[in-house]
Structure formats: C-alpha cells, structure tokens
Amino acid sequence: MTIQTSVKTILAELPPSTRLLAAVKDRTPEEITLALGAGLTILGENYVQEAEAHINALGRVAEWHFIGHLQKNKVKKAVRLFDMIETVDSLELAAEISKRSIEIGKVMPVLIEVNIGREPNKSGALPETAPTLARNIAQLPGVSLRGLMTIEPASGNPENARPYFRELKVLFDAVIALGLNIPDFNILSMGMTHTYLIAVQEGATIVRVGTAIFGARPQ
Ligand SMILES: *Cc1c(COP(=O)(O)O)cnc(C)c1O
C-alpha cells in the first residue's frame, strides 16, 4: 500500500472521537508530505533535533507532538517546537516545561506517560504514582494537563495489549474522579500499528501509528 492509501484506510477505521498521530521517526519530509496529503493532522516526533529539521523543511503543517524521551536540557527547545508533549513522567520534568513555557508566553499541553506494564527499562510514571503526579502537575501555571499516554509492553499478540489499555482507562477515570479542576483532561493516547484497533475499543482518543503508514523503518 502507498503511504496515502494507508493513511486513508486507517482514518476510515477510526471513530470521529479518535485522532490519528503519525509517528515519523526516521522518515523523510517527502514521506511526511505524502501522509499529510491524505488527511493527517498530528505528527509525532521522538527526537527534538529531527523535529527541528522537519519543521524547518515543512513548516507548521500539522500539530507536532513530542512522543520520545525528553531530556531536561532539551526542554527549552522542545517548548518552542511542539504543540503537545505526550511523555511527561516526573514532576521535575513538568516543572521545567512549565518554567520554559512561561518564559516564551506559552502554556504547554502535556500528557502524563504511564509505564502501564511496570517494565523496568521503560520510561513513564508507575500507575500508582499517576494520580499524585496529576495533582501536582495540575498546579503548574505553564502547562495544561490534557490526559494520559502509554506505550504498552511489546507482544506478538495484539490482544495481550487489551488489559493494559483497560488499566490505563481506569487510571484516566480515577484522575478525573479526583476533581482537580482540569477541564480539558480528555486525551488518552494509546495503541500503535499492531494494537490501535484494540486501543480504540478501549477508549483511545489518539492512536500513534508509524509502521502501518510508512512501512518498516529503514535500518
Ligand atoms: C514509533 C512509535 C510509535 C509507532 O510505532 P509503530 O509500531 O511503528 O506504529 C508509537 N508511539 C511511540 C512513542 C513511538 O516511538
């Protein structure tokens, strides 16, 4: 399938309440342009440097979301480049984002990344810490907490992702039940190439897809 056909096919599978983010790591501006032509509205970047090159080449043609691991020393640049940072997993990182956003007169939309599989080598906040983290992040003036994100444990069987997505949704509802007065807390970013249809069934409002749009990544 061509890039454009893939995007159109996936968009047709999604309910109106779910948005498609194209994960563009290691893709060229030409490939991204093809995907945009088919109706994509969110691009996801794992690397600040690569995002800068892409945005310089393409302009602000879509919403740019950061979906990689954000180092503190890249925050200053990231808040200028991105429309959302999906991978906030500590109060320290959130505070730095808030500070740097205020410096440029911006309020940065963020998601809390949850390590839903409690995998030792993965970033993301542990599920049990997420409500307190949400409470604290909600106090920061330079960020707007919009929801939760997760990268589920890898598995050969997409069905294995379902319990993790359910758990994230339960956590999402638990944060809402805290009554933190964060009115725009309404984004659940979960599901990738092999799991996005299951994520949609479990309440995803953003699915993040790379391989199913662009093919296998270049080695
Ligand atoms: C690469 C990536 C994706 C997309 O992965 P695919 O399996 O290629 O669809 C989604 N989310 C994050 C955070 C990624 O790094």
Side-chain angles (χ1 to χ4, degrees):
M1 257 199 280
T2 67
I3 289 173
Q4 284 187 301
T5 311
S6 302
V7 170
K8 285 187 178 146
T9 304
I10 297 167
L11 286 174
E13 291 170 324
L14 301 179
S17 51
T18 309
R19 301 179 71 195
L20 175 62
L21 171 154
V24 301
K25 53 182 174 280
D26 304 328
R27 309 300 178 175
T28 64
E30 291 73 23
E31 290 173 296
I32 297 170
T33 301
L34 285 175
L36 288 168
L40 262 181
T41 56
I42 318 178
L43 301 171
E45 291 275 1
N46 292 67
Y47 311 106
V48 174
Q49 215 76 7
E50 189 183 273
E52 194 173 30
H54 281 158
I55 293 170
N56 284 337
L58 296 166
R60 308 207 70 91
V61 285
E63 278 179 44
W64 295 87
H65 288 200
F66 187 76
I67 60 170
H69 182 64
L70 187 55
Q71 288 162 306
K72 205 177 161 195
N73 63 358
K74 299 271 171 66
V75 169
K76 187 175 176 189
K77 189 167 264 185
V79 298
R80 289 181 188 278
L81 290 171
F82 292 101
D83 300 300
M84 184 178 291
I85 296 174
E86 295 202 7
T87 48
V88 175
D89 62 358
S90 72
L91 183 57
E92 211 186 341
L93 180 59
E96 181 70 13
I97 293 168
S98 177
K99 180 180 132 190
R100 295 298 186 181
S101 297
I102 290 167
E103 282 174 4
I104 60 166
K106 192 166 174 174
V107 175
M108 175 61 71
V110 300
L111 305 182
I112 293 176
E113 180 183 359
V114 179
N115 181 357
I116 200 73
R118 298 176 176 80
E119 295 172 280
N121 298 321
K122 222 167 196 170
S123 49
L126 290 174
E128 53 273 23
T129 67
T132 302
L133 190 55
R135 189 185 294 281
N136 291 328
I137 291 176
Q139 311 290 324
L140 298 170
V143 302
S144 161
L145 181 59
R146 298 295 315 276
L148 304 180
M149 176 269 202
T150 200
I151 304 169
E152 77 279 6
S155 161
N157 180 359
E159 270 301 323
N160 289 343
R162 192 183 298 277
Y164 293 114
F165 294 154
R166 283 207 178 145
E167 194 181 339
L168 193 72
K169 176 68 162 73
V170 168
L171 203 53
F172 179 76
D173 292 337
V175 172
I176 292 171
L178 292 174
L180 297 176
N181 192 27
I182 28 181
D184 293 331
F185 189 89
N186 53 22
I187 297 178
L188 204 45
S189 173
M190 59 187 191
M192 310 193 286
T193 286
H194 297 296
T195 54
Y196 71 87
L197 290 174
I198 291 170
V200 165
Q201 290 170 356
E202 300 304 333
T205 68
I206 294 179
V207 292
R208 308 179 312 270
V209 179
T211 312
I213 293 174
F214 299 107
R217 276 163 69 205
Q219 293 302 305

